[in-house]
Amino acid sequence: MNIIEANNLTKYYGKSKGIENVNFTVKEGEIFGFIGPNGAGKSTTIRTLLGLIFPTSGSATIFGKDCIEKGHEVRRDIGYLPSEMFFYYKMKVWDLLKYSASFFEGDYSHRIEMLAETMELDLTRKIEDLSYGNKKKVGIVQGLLHSPKLIMLDEPTGGLDPLMQKKFFQLIREENQKGATIFFSSHILSEVQHLCHRVAIIKEGSIIQVEDISTLQKNNYKKIMLKGENLSKKSFNFEGITNLTMEDHTLRFFFKGDINQVKEKIQPYKVEDLLIEDPTLEEIFMHYYE
Amino acid sequence: MNVFIREMRDHLKGLIIWSVVILVFMLMVFVEFEAYYENPEMAEILDVVPRGMLEAFGMYGANLTTINGYMSIVALYLYIMLGIFAVLLGNSIIGKEERDKTGEFLMSMPIKRYQVLRSKVGAAVLNCLLLTLIAGIGIAIAVYQYSPDRENFEYISRILVAAFIIQMIFLSLGLFIAASSKAFKKSSALSVALVIITYIISVIQTLSDSVDFLKYFTPFKYYQASEILQNNGFQGIYIGLSVIIVLVANFGVFYVYPRRDLKL
């Protein structure tokens, strides 16, 4: 079953484009990465899905229901962590979380305490006294307290120290293992790479690629480094080679195609060192943005 | 219900501050009354003041030496204060979610926008009602020393009812301005300006006979205290107008706000 389906989702702010004809599906139980630089339309997409803003055209369903028409029903099972946390700053953390929980049926006190303990969040403090990172923690607890079926994260790690990031990812993985679907928006590729099963790449308001992480990394490009005397750029200038650079007897390039071609080219040379690796998502990503 | 309680709590401090201001104002005003009360000489002082000026401040023809006469002057200031309270409350109770960017949190909860509005409007109406009651209690305490009779209390009650209706008008307009505007600073300035402008319109209408129709454009004229005193009640047309303004503005709020983008 598809948890999210976006059909030609388009949002214009007046005349300026937010997103245009965005199509993707998120399947049940997967961790779906949504990557793109700032201003590419990530938050616009999420806010449209949540009914905070309304699409100019196109539509989207969540759990098979229209996200605008049935927004209030759909949001019962969504946990949302916005990129910037703004809460009623005069409230205490505990009161805010109780308030948040009051929108859902059931008692979540125990769950709040548990999450707060994991994230090392002091529940007795006032929101306005909290640092950026601590506000983020409030957001995390708030977003997860009702054990949502769909967790939407918009740049979730900003302000968290590496240790907290790790705990946070652990928490997200646990929720995922328990069956929650994760929609993870980020511009930090390494975190998407480690966590997500599939990613959509968004650029200037349009999706340019939706791919399995493994496909993106393995089936496409190899990153190759060659070191040795007499190497020249010329002999490696053939179909499938990109980003060829030569520096201090070291040749670096990306290759897409039959690896045997490269093997044959290397054959005549005496090489000191050879490294063939999968490019990082970052490097693939840069490729899409060139 | 949770949103309603949240709003009541959030606005409690403001309500207390306004209550204190209005109580102090009423007590001061009625301390001043001591000089006029059953003192015909003081009433003559007003004879030397130009008529236009008296009219501008709603004092023309008022008998300052009686409780009702004095109250008919005080009423205008009560209207203005309560009106400003109501218009600001209406504006902020909706606009603050975008000003403080808390709308992203609130509206991502499993709740319809119209439900949020219902709770907010309910809380705002209750706040206005409480402030009117507190003003009433303040006036009752303040006039107590002048041994008011039944007629005085009836008149004061009418003024309070009028003040509450005026609050409902300005509250609705404040709500509507906030619901249709995405810029909080602009909308709160516009809201206060609305009270001041309608007050100025009421002054202009009083001073000039040629613009009589302006009386329909200012709630302060609908419930002019001197007329309530003369007529022993309200005029049907103004009650009708008030109801129409409140209904139309609220319809606008409930139509516009659930359909518009939140400014985040």
Side-chain angles (χ1 to χ4, degrees), chain B residues 165-210:
Chain B
I165 299 174
I166 288 173
Q167 284 203 88
M168 290 303 98
I169 292 173
F170 282 116
L171 175 69
S172 306
L173 295 173
L175 289 166
F176 181 72
I177 291 170
S180 43
S181 160
K182 293 184 189 175
F184 183 77
K185 272 186 190 162
K186 253 192 235 165
S187 71
S188 54
L190 182 63
S191 299
V192 177
L194 192 73
V195 179
I196 295 167
I197 289 166
T198 49
Y199 168 65
I200 292 171
I201 290 175
S202 79
V203 172
I204 292 171
Q205 195 274 342
T206 311
L207 293 180
S208 166
D209 295 332
S210 58

Side-chain angles (χ1 to χ4, degrees), chain A residues 77 79 143-144 148-153 172 175 180-184:
Chain A
D77 294 306
L144 299 180
K149 287 185 204 153
L150 170 63
I151 301 172
M152 299 186 103
L153 309 166
I172 293 301
E175 290 302 311
T181 306
I182 320 281
F183 185 88
F184 189 127

Side-chain angles (χ1 to χ4, degrees), chain A residues 11 47 50-54 72 75-76 80 82 84 86-89 91 99-100 102-104 142, chain B residues 2-3 6 97 100-113 258-262 264:
Chain A
K11 175 69 190 174
R47 285 172 176 168
L50 286 165
L52 298 170
I53 55 178
F54 298 92
H72 63 291
R75 291 194 294 270
R76 253 178 235 154
Y80 171 44
E84 275 183 90
F86 292 101
F87 292 125
Y88 303 98
Y89 55 92
M91 285 175 102
Y99 180 49
S100 178
S102 73
F103 287 93
F104 304 94
Q142 184 264 314
Chain B
N2 50 357
V3 178
R6 171 92 263 284
E97 301 291 351
D100 301 338
K101 299 180 193 278
T102 47
E104 186 155 41
F105 162 78
L106 183 60
M107 303 305 177
S108 64
M109 292 291 119
I111 187 166
K112 290 179 185 169
R113 290 221 196 144
R259 285 171 179 79
R260 79 158 164 91
D261 290 350
L262 289 179
L264 300 166

Side-chain angles (χ1 to χ4, degrees), chain A residues 45-101:
Chain A
T45 307
I46 292 178
R47 285 172 176 168
T48 310
L49 291 172
L50 286 165
L52 298 170
I53 55 178
F54 298 92
T56 311
S57 64
S59 65
T61 60
I62 299 179
F63 312 125
K65 294 175 186 169
D66 187 272
C67 73
I68 301 295
E69 295 291 312
K70 299 277 176 190
H72 63 291
E73 284 177 29
V74 161
R75 291 194 294 270
R76 253 178 235 154
D77 294 306
I78 299 180
Y80 171 44
L81 182 59
S83 56
E84 275 183 90
M85 295 292 138
F86 292 101
F87 292 125
Y88 303 98
Y89 55 92
K90 284 180 196 159
M91 285 175 102
K92 287 197 171 134
V93 175
W94 175 249
D95 292 328
L96 178 98
L97 293 171
K98 287 289 267 188
Y99 180 49
S100 178

Side-chain angles (χ1 to χ4, degrees), chain A residues 222 224 226 231 235-236 238 241 253 255 257-271 274 276:
Chain A
K222 292 288 169 193
I224 299 171
L226 260 177
L231 287 169
S235 50
F236 283 91
F238 59 91
I241 298 266
F253 53 87
F255 176 72
D258 184 1
I259 197 76
N260 288 303
Q261 274 181 284
V262 181
K263 203 180 88 187
E264 279 164 28
K265 288 281 175 189
I266 299 172
Q267 200 71 38
Y269 297 99
K270 183 181 186 321
V271 292
L274 169 63
I276 302 175

